[in-house]
Amino acid sequence: MARSPLTVLCSFALLGTLALAGCSTAAPAEGPADGGSTDGAATDGGGAALDCSAATTEGYDLFLDPALTVEPVLDVYPLEAGDTISFTYAAHDDAAFPTYGWLSTYITSEGDVAPSRGSFFFDEEGGVFTFVGPEAVAGIDGGPYTGFLDIEVTVDTTTTVIGRICVQYALTE
């Protein structure tokens, strides 16, 4: 049974509210993905590493569901104009009418994880979808900023985070 657009939008509105409250919609899959390495990582003007290691908010660990693959494979994904991240979800089930989306957060100078924004992947086909930059932190000047990009799948009214990667936001969109 196909879901109406209103049902899908309500699911994402509820998910956004949970993200703003600092709740995680699902526990990370076993074993965090390799990420957050500072070896050769870029730094901000003050010498701090531009990775996600500065995050102090609990529950923000990098991970990928075993069925989710990401191309290219990086420790920190840049989100400048022209940057593209491709996702393939091998557990995709057309019969369940899944909807894929993303939520972004950024790491403040105090190490807190703060919400930014989110949206659907409108190009999804058969569990394959892409994220295309630029993406800047909503309503915040300065930077550069790093943060997390949560990849989600919603089936009926259940949303599950299937991946969390570290990203470096564009300075402007």
Side-chain angles (χ1 to χ4, degrees):
M1 169 160 94
R3 291 177 284 159
S4 73
L6 181 58
T7 302
V8 172
L9 288 175
C10 287
S11 296
F12 274 100
L14 176 61
L15 181 60
T17 302
L18 290 175
L20 289 173
C23 297
S24 176
T25 56
E30 280 188 32
D34 182 29
S37 166
T38 58
D39 295 338
T43 60
D44 67 13
L50 286 177
D51 61 19
C52 291
S53 63
T56 59
T57 303
E58 286 193 40
Y60 281 92
D61 298 317
L62 302 176
F63 75 95
L64 293 176
D65 182 291
L68 183 65
T69 56
V70 183
E71 292 293 330
V73 176
L74 300 171
D75 286 340
V76 180
Y77 291 83
L79 298 180
E80 294 287 347
D83 289 326
T84 301
I85 307 169
S86 298
F87 300 92
T88 302
Y89 189 52
H92 175 80
D93 178 8
D94 275 332
F97 301 103
T99 303
Y100 298 91
W102 58 270
L103 285 175
S104 62
T105 56
Y106 67 97
I107 302 169
T108 68
S109 59
E110 294 81 27
D112 297 324
V113 177
S116 185
R117 62 177 131 204
S119 185
F120 300 101
F121 286 104
F122 293 103
D123 66 339
E124 184 276 324
E125 187 170 320
V128 178
F129 43 94
T130 56
F131 187 96
V132 179
E135 177 68 22
V137 176
I140 304 292
D141 291 330
Y145 290 99
T146 53
F148 301 99
L149 187 68
D150 285 3
I151 309 305
E152 307 167 329
V153 60
T154 301
V155 175
D156 292 325
T157 60
T158 303
T159 299
T160 304
V161 177
I162 57 175
R164 178 172 293 130
I165 61 175
C166 182
V167 296
Q168 179 182 338
Y169 293 101
L171 292 179
T172 60
E173 285 192 64

